[in-house]
């Protein structure tokens, strides 16, 4: 059986010096998403024609899926940052998978200031005007049984991400922009989520027997935020789970002792998220509880380790302990590297000296342990999360990651695997930006 791997191309930007802005221009993160690498087989796939009839075509043709703009988006107010209609790519399931659904939320960072959101709306991460009209479904979205044996014939959706706040933005916060001289911005992530779910409920999601909501990076965070609400729209007898890929962002001080990520998340929440609204479900509960401890704690609302304390639906976390984006932007950001001694280490993990490697390992292991996962012992640590057995964690260096995800979803075995410290596993691959 061929090796299964998770790879997805995500766009991210660098932190700004003052407000640590992650803009939507030039995002350069490659995190691992479920992709399998083999020769293509001669199996068939299905494409929906303009007349809505199903036509079998050969696998040799490019497996491209058209962009569909959300119906009645303008009337519902469910629009991207620039006011354009959001979009998705949909491929119908067939045979035994016709009543099963897999939805994947695109990633791409966030915007935390009016300036960064204004820049973002001039890209595909803030406007459907710039989105590719077709995308190729690969990995966990692939229709090839040889590549994706467990989900190949399911109904599959890729939700495009264009609100800049992990589908949690709310129009009540647009007044903050209206009081400035800046062009109009629409914070409608929550409405986008609700409208897209309504559309797929009408297309058959309401009758799903099995469903998996997944997302990568900022999409992984969106998956956590909306996991329980996703389950609630499905039949009670449906098997529903959620997969967060590279979405477990660490609440950890950087090399200079700054809470870089906390400051950034605080700005995202303040600018776009109206946590008092009950429609935000889990996020609303998290933020309300945290703010009750003091407004200065608001920045912790959207950290995954806080969100999962309130999630009832089973979740699988796929995360690299040495995620290069988190090294570059959370643990050792350029803005905190005053003497530029971390430059080479940020560009290639192999170029970190022994002291830097030790520092990173210490921060990573402490963060995962303190936030609910034991990095050293291959078993979940004591955690504030209730019903920890509902959650699983796996480092994406693991050789059998895709099988692990499927084993977890279909309850074939208990999957709570955490890889050893870098560089002990030769199957791990680090990105080289030098």
């Amino acid at each position: 059986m061929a090796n299964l791997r998770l790879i997805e191309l995500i766009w991210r930007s660098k932190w700004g010096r003052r407000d640590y802005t992650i803009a939507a221009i030039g995002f350069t993160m490659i995190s691992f998403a479920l992709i399998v690498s083999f020769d293509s087989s001669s199996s068939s796939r299905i494409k929906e024609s303009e007349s809505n009839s199903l036509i079998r075509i050969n696998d040799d043709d490019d497996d491209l899926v058209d962009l569909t703009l959300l119906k009645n988006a303008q009337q519902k107010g469910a629009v991207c940052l620039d006011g354009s209609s959001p979009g998705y790519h949909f491929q119908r399931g067939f045979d035994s998978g016709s009543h099963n659904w897999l939805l994947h939320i695109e990633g791409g960072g966030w915007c935390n200031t009016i300036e960064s959101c204004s820049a973002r709306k001039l890209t595909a991460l803030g406007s459907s005007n710039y989105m590719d009209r077709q995308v190729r479904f690969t990995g966990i979205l692939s229709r090839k049984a040889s590549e994706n044996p467990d989900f190949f014939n399911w109904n599959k959706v890729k939700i495009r991400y264009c609100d800049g706040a992990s589908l949690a933005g709310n129009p009540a916060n647009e007044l903050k922009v209206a009081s400035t001289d800046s062009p109009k911005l629409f914070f409608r992530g929550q409405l986008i989520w609700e409208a897209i779910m309504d559309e797929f409920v009408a297309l058959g999601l309401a009758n799903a027997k099995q469903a998996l909501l997944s997302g990568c990076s900022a999409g992984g965070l969106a998956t956590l935020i909306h996991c329980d609400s996703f389950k609630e729209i499905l039949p009670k007898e449906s098997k529903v789970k959620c997969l967060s890929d590279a979405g477990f962002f660490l609440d950890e001080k950087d090399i200079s002792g700054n809470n870089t990520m906390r400051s950034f998340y605080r700005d995202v929440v303040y600018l776009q998220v109206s946590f008092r609204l009950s429609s935000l479900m889990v996020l609303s509960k998290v933020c309300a509880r945290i703010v009750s401890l003091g407004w200065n704690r608001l920045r912790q609302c959207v950290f995954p380790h806080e969100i999962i304390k309130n999630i009832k639906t089973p979740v699988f976390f796929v995360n690299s302990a040495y995620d290069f984006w988190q090294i570059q932007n959370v643990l050792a950001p350029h803005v905190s590297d005053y003497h530029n001694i971390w430059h080479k280490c940020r560009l290639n993990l192999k170029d970190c000296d022994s002291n830097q490697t030790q520092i990173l390992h210490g921060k990573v292991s402490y963060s995962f342990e303190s936030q609910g996962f034991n990095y050293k012992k291959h078993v979940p640590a004591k955690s504030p999360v209730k019903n920890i057995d509902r959650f699983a964690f796996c480092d994406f260096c693991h050789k059998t990651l895709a099988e692990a995800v499927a084993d977890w979803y279909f309850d074939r075995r208990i999957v709570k695997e955490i890889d050893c410290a870098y560089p002990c596993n030769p199957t791990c691959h680090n990105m080289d930006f030098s």
Side-chain angles (χ1 to χ4, degrees):
M1 189 171 185
N3 262 345
L4 301 179
R5 231 178 250 291
L6 286 175
I7 301 177
E8 175 166 309
L9 182 64
I10 303 289
W11 294 87
R12 294 189 174 176
S13 74
K14 298 179 180 178
W15 294 93
R17 287 187 176 274
R18 183 168 173 230
D19 33 1
Y20 307 107
T21 301
I22 301 179
I25 303 175
F27 283 98
T28 57
M29 173 189 178
I30 301 176
S31 73
F32 281 85
L34 291 161
I35 283 184
V36 189
S37 145
F38 336 57
D39 296 330
S40 57
S41 68
S42 59
S43 61
S44 61
R45 64 184 177 89
I46 295 181
K47 181 177 180 181
E48 186 174 347
S49 71
E50 293 181 359
S51 62
N52 292 324
S53 63
L54 296 178
I55 303 173
R56 287 196 176 274
I57 60 178
N58 293 329
D59 237 0
D60 294 333
D61 295 335
D62 287 338
D63 199 8
L64 295 172
V65 182
D66 292 336
L67 174 70
T68 299
L69 297 182
L70 184 66
K71 295 176 183 176
N72 303 317
Q74 303 297 325
Q75 294 91 320
K76 295 179 178 180
V79 296
C80 299
L81 279 171
D82 71 332
S84 60
S85 298
Y88 59 82
H89 304 263
F90 174 46
Q91 197 175 59
R92 280 199 179 277
F94 58 96
D95 297 339
S96 61
S98 59
H99 292 291
N100 301 329
W101 288 73
L102 191 157
L103 293 84
H104 183 78
I105 304 173
E106 180 183 31
W110 313 267
C111 56
N112 68 331
T113 65
I114 293 174
E115 292 76 17
S116 63
C117 289
S118 296
R120 188 182 182 96
K121 76 176 188 177
L122 300 178
T123 74
L125 290 170
S127 171
S128 60
N129 295 327
Y130 300 96
M131 293 177 183
D132 291 334
R133 264 36 201 175
Q134 289 184 319
V135 298
R136 182 170 284 105
F137 273 19
T138 55
I140 199 171
L141 295 178
S142 172
R143 193 172 283 263
K144 298 177 183 177
S146 58
E147 294 182 359
N148 189 22
D150 293 292
F151 304 102
F152 75 98
N153 61 354
W154 286 31
N155 295 285
K156 292 186 288 292
V157 183
K158 180 173 183 177
I159 300 173
R160 302 303 296 266
Y161 173 41
C162 68
D163 83 303
S166 289
L167 296 179
N170 195 280
N173 286 36
E174 292 170 8
L175 293 175
K176 296 171 184 176
V177 183
S179 61
T180 70
D181 295 329
S182 302
K184 176 69 174 177
L185 288 172
F186 298 86
F187 300 143
R188 306 294 177 89
Q190 177 66 24
L191 295 179
I192 291 173
W193 166 259
E194 293 172 358
I196 286 181
M197 289 303 101
D198 287 345
E199 191 146 314
F200 281 105
V201 163
L203 289 171
L205 180 62
N207 301 314
K209 294 180 179 179
Q210 299 185 106
L212 175 62
L213 176 65
S214 69
C216 186
S217 184
L221 180 60
T223 296
L224 298 179
I225 292 172
H226 296 291
C227 183
D228 281 351
S229 65
F230 177 67
K231 181 177 176 59
E232 288 192 4
I233 66 175
L234 297 170
K236 290 184 178 180
E237 63 274 15
S238 299
K239 183 184 187 72
V240 183
K241 295 187 178 183
C242 300
L243 166 65
S244 177
D245 176 20
F248 200 90
F249 296 95
L250 300 178
D251 184 9
E252 179 62 40
K253 290 183 178 180
D254 64 27
I255 53 174
S256 294
N258 299 319
N259 282 312
T260 304
M261 201 65 181
R262 280 193 187 184
S263 298
F264 180 78
Y265 270 168
R266 175 199 60 203
D267 294 342
V268 172
V269 173
Y270 175 77
L271 180 65
Q272 289 210 53
V273 181
S274 181
F275 66 87
R276 291 186 178 88
L277 299 181
S278 59
S279 59
L280 287 173
M281 306 223 24
V282 167
L283 190 59
S284 177
K285 296 175 185 176
V286 173
C287 290
R289 173 175 54 79
I290 288 177
V291 172
S292 69
L293 303 176
W295 276 93
N296 63 332
R297 300 281 297 277
L298 179 63
R299 56 194 175 189
Q300 293 176 253
C301 284
V302 291
F303 274 107
H305 71 275
E306 293 289 349
I307 294 175
I308 61 176
K309 294 176 184 178
N310 292 273
I311 295 178
K312 299 177 182 178
T313 308
V315 177
F316 190 83
F317 288 99
V318 174
N319 227 90
S320 169
Y322 296 91
D323 182 306
F324 71 80
W325 186 88
Q326 299 215 52
I327 290 174
Q328 293 177 355
N329 299 288
V330 179
L331 302 179
H334 176 73
V335 70
S336 294
D337 186 16
Y338 306 126
H339 303 291
N340 210 31
I341 60 176
W342 283 80
H343 178 68
K344 289 184 177 180
C345 181
R346 278 198 303 272
L347 296 180
N348 191 333
L349 194 58
K350 288 184 177 180
D351 291 332
C352 298
D353 60 34
S354 58
N355 182 55
Q356 290 171 328
T357 300
Q358 186 176 359
I359 290 173
L360 291 177
H361 176 68
K363 288 183 175 295
V364 164
S365 59
Y366 172 78
S367 295
F368 281 134
E369 287 177 27
S370 65
Q371 295 171 23
F373 301 103
N374 192 316
Y375 182 73
K376 297 176 181 176
K377 297 182 180 179
H378 294 257
V379 293
K382 241 180 178 180
S383 170
V385 179
K386 295 180 181 178
N387 301 321
I388 187 65
D389 58 307
R390 290 169 125 354
F391 299 86
F393 179 87
C394 185
D395 189 333
F396 68 40
C397 292
H398 198 275
K399 290 182 181 180
T400 58
L401 178 57
E403 290 120 322
V405 171
D407 285 348
W408 164 78
Y409 181 84
F410 293 105
D411 303 311
R412 295 195 286 244
R413 66 183 177 95
I414 296 175
V415 183
K416 293 176 181 177
E417 304 178 51
I418 297 179
D419 218 337
C420 54
Y422 180 85
C424 75
N425 188 340
T427 69
C428 290
H429 297 280
N430 58 289
M431 301 303 299
D432 183 357
F433 298 97
S434 58

